Amino acid sequence: MEKLLDYTKYKLKPKEEIVELIKDKDNLFVFVCGKCYKEFASVIPEDCKELYPILKENGKNVVECETIDFLCNRHHLDIRKSGFQDGLKKSDNVLVLSCGVGIQTVANFLEDKPVYAVADTIPQEGQHGIALYNNKCAGCATCFLTATQGICPITNCTKELVNGPCGGAKNGKCEVSKDKDCGWEKINQRLKVTEFNFWELPVQFHKYNRVNFKISNKYNTAVREKRSRNFYGGVYPFENKEYTSEKPIQQFPEPETVEIPLSQHTGAVCESLVKVGDVVKVGQKIGDSKSFISAPVHSSVSGKVTAIETKPHPVIPSGVTTITIKADGKNEYHESVKANKEYEKLSKDNLIDIIRDKGIVGLGGAQFPTYVKFKSPKPIDTLILNGCECEPYVTADDRLMIEHPEEIVGGMKILMKILGLQKGYIAIETNKPQAIEAVKKTINNLNLTSAIEIAELPTKYPQGSERMLIKKVTGKDVPLGGLPLDVGVVVNNVGTSFAVYNAVVNGLPLIKRIVTVTGEKIKNKLNLEVKIGTPVSEILDYCGADLKDGDYVLKMGGPMMGLLQKSLEVPVIKGTTSLLVTKKPDIKLSSERSCIKCGRCVDVCPMELYPLYYWYYKNSKSQNVKAELDNTGLDILNSKSKHGATNCIECGCCEYICSSKLPLIDNIKEMKKEAREVKS
Ligand code: SF4
Ligand code: SF4
Ligand code: SF4
């Protein structure tokens, strides 16, 4: 398995070598590879930070710099071409900052421009390079590609000659293997694009002794350290929270009509308690179920029921029975919505009943009925409020903690009372300093410092996942296939705590929530307080979404775990943390590509699974592969196995990092289904 963990790495060439290289060259165009290291955002800019001063100090004109993800994949260059074509035309020389595979790909792409390597590839055991094309790199750490204009003599010449051809080639074919083109013939052709005279170079040595293990080890150690920080695996996607993190919560205007689905929770769908023509008020219960795992739904407006029919739903593709209510604009509250000044005297059972009756569900996106967690058959010794909000872009919880810390802490006190706990934790990632400050201040003001502790956690995705959070805060491992209650822990989102407070103290059911509306296609990016049932299309309109050209992707939730929405005709539901509208990605996920066994999915999986094996299992046409996988002992169809697909938490890290952009999550969902069928 070790070999799966290797993938290409590179480092900038020594300064003196770069100075020598550029001394007679100007009007430079620089290509930088933005992966394999995209998740370590600092690595590429650090390299550039070193490269640019060298170019500047030497008085060079840098026409343009273009960062391309997976530069080794020609497809990525082709689709970005229109954006950098002009700059390229104006430049005379092209520098490439990437591994040996990326540089070779650029050389193929720019047949008539001189290309120079400013990096050396760090040797790694195992597979090198992630190119989907024929270019290869042996990782010898002494890149000859500058001299040979982007055609590697090591991997193209059978004898690995670095000073010229052996002379045995016939009709352009290698004397060792007649099926193979002579690498030096190709280099000769390619050298015509530059005035540089290779044949005048002093004799070059294939200097394996130049491998600087000090550098590569330091590099590898840094990568591993970052990977294992807090928990194994995970990724560091661009956060993009700055779009809305400073935007105070605004109230979205009263909707004229709301559409309230009878399922906005895990568990049984509710039955309608109203009929068409009924007049309802704000907070009136309009749907409920007798099932244990379910949660009632309430009207978020006062008005008249105009339809009860199956409508599109953001989570359930087949749609769900939905109650449409035309608002009368009076916003009259139902008699059941009344404040309870004596709430501190309520018993544990009364409190649980209120939480159920007011339809409180997990607001982090999971929508699990909250009251069920508090009827645990197992003893609970720890409560954790989850304020990590590790999904990029989303800032709804962040703003809620900044603006409503009293209600969140108040809700936590109620939950701790139910569980009979003296101690609880609020976990917040350190990228939310204002939230940490606000919650801390509230805890101090309420003299709760010995009862509630803030766990400040380093920012890393998916820190907010229950399993990672519990491990970090309590040191406990939730067993495979188990639940937090198996280790005596209940986790609730901070938004849920806020909703619990409002339900118990103000008698308010869950009829509104905070939604972050964000993404490149949104003009006015905002944090909005929105009534449940408000049509998504109205919110997008309000925020100036640019949807006309159809070049957009709408997700409900964040980019990692959010659900892709095919229709704008869906309403906001209890679990809607965010509406994210971005441009369609240049590179789409496609099952047409192949897994190249780069192993990066293994590297980032916080559940320590082997996602590529699931891919092979579902997609390989060869029965041998399945048989081989069965022989690995990984037992991937068994839910009790450490490597079983059912252990996947669908965090999306593997899909995010996948070199081949494979739709790994859909594949895993199918795998899980198959595993369940095998079980039954
Ligand atoms: S010269 Fe060595 S490091 Fe450079 S591309 Fe070729 S094999 Fe890779
Ligand atoms: S989605 Fe599943 S397999 Fe992929 S990284 Fe997350 S837990 Fe691992
Ligand atoms: S599934 Fe993707 S990330 Fe994993 S090994 Fe294959 S190509 Fe690499």
Side-chain angles (χ1 to χ4, degrees), residues 462 601 604-611 614 645 647-655 664-665 668:
C601 52
V604 299
C605 176
M607 294 301 293
E608 301 181 35
L609 305 172
Y610 296 141
Y614 307 144
N647 291 319
C648 168
I649 55 171
E650 296 176 26
C651 65
C653 290
C654 55
E655 194 169 279
L664 295 178
I665 301 296
I668 287 169

Side-chain angles (χ1 to χ4, degrees), residues 245-435:
S245 56
E246 296 297 326
K247 301 267 178 78
I249 298 166
Q250 281 181 30
Q251 209 162 343
F252 184 73
E254 281 293 316
E256 284 176 14
T257 303
V258 289
E259 311 226 307
I260 302 188
L262 287 170
S263 175
Q264 302 181 49
H265 46 264
T266 309
V269 179
C270 294
E271 281 171 23
S272 176
L273 302 177
V274 292
K275 52 187 188 319
V276 173
D278 281 1
V279 172
V280 293
K281 292 193 174 164
V282 179
Q284 181 176 335
K285 197 188 283 182
I286 55 172
D288 205 349
S289 161
K290 289 197 173 69
S291 294
F292 178 59
I293 301 191
S294 188
V297 294
H298 303 76
S299 177
S300 55
V301 294
S302 58
K304 199 182 235 177
V305 176
T306 56
I308 302 175
E309 60 198 350
T310 304
K311 293 217 162 153
H313 188 278
V315 180
I316 304 164
S318 53
V320 162
T321 308
T322 299
I323 301 175
T324 306
I325 304 165
K326 184 154 177 32
D328 57 16
K330 294 182 196 151
N331 226 0
E332 272 178 290
Y333 276 76
H334 189 252
E335 64 205 20
S336 60
V337 183
K338 49 178 184 280
N340 186 351
K341 289 203 182 91
E342 306 273 285
Y343 76 94
E344 282 179 334
K345 293 186 187 149
L346 292 170
S347 70
K348 167 186 165 174
D349 288 341
N350 289 154
L351 291 168
I352 294 177
D353 286 347
I354 293 173
I355 292 171
R356 190 208 172 275
D357 197 51
K358 300 293 180 185
I360 312 299
V361 301
L363 293 191
Q367 306 190 121
F368 190 78
T370 302
Y371 91 99
V372 177
K373 290 189 180 180
F374 291 86
K375 286 201 165 220
S376 166
K378 297 190 177 174
I380 300 295
D381 56 32
T382 309
L383 172 71
I384 304 174
L385 278 200
N386 187 353
C388 288
E389 202 171 50
C390 57
E391 270 275 6
Y393 288 90
V394 189
T395 55
D397 286 350
D398 189 10
R399 287 314 307 181
L400 196 66
M401 288 188 280
I402 294 168
E403 296 177 42
H404 296 280
E406 289 85 6
E407 292 94 323
I408 292 171
V409 173
M412 179 152 189
K413 271 176 67 187
I414 293 168
L415 297 175
M416 284 169 69
K417 179 176 173 183
I418 297 174
L419 295 169
L421 299 178
Q422 305 304 318
K423 178 100 194 168
Y425 301 88
I426 304 181
I428 310 175
E429 282 191 342
T430 47
N431 61 352
K432 302 175 188 68
Q434 288 186 66

Side-chain angles (χ1 to χ4, degrees), residues 4 594-602 611-612 615-616 654 657-662 664:
L4 281 177
S594 308
C595 165
I596 56 166
K597 294 187 189 160
C598 65
R600 302 170 80 212
C601 52
V602 180
L612 81 164
W615 181 263
Y616 276 98
C654 55
I657 205 91
C658 177
S659 307
S660 283
K661 287 276 163 271
L662 302 172
L664 295 178

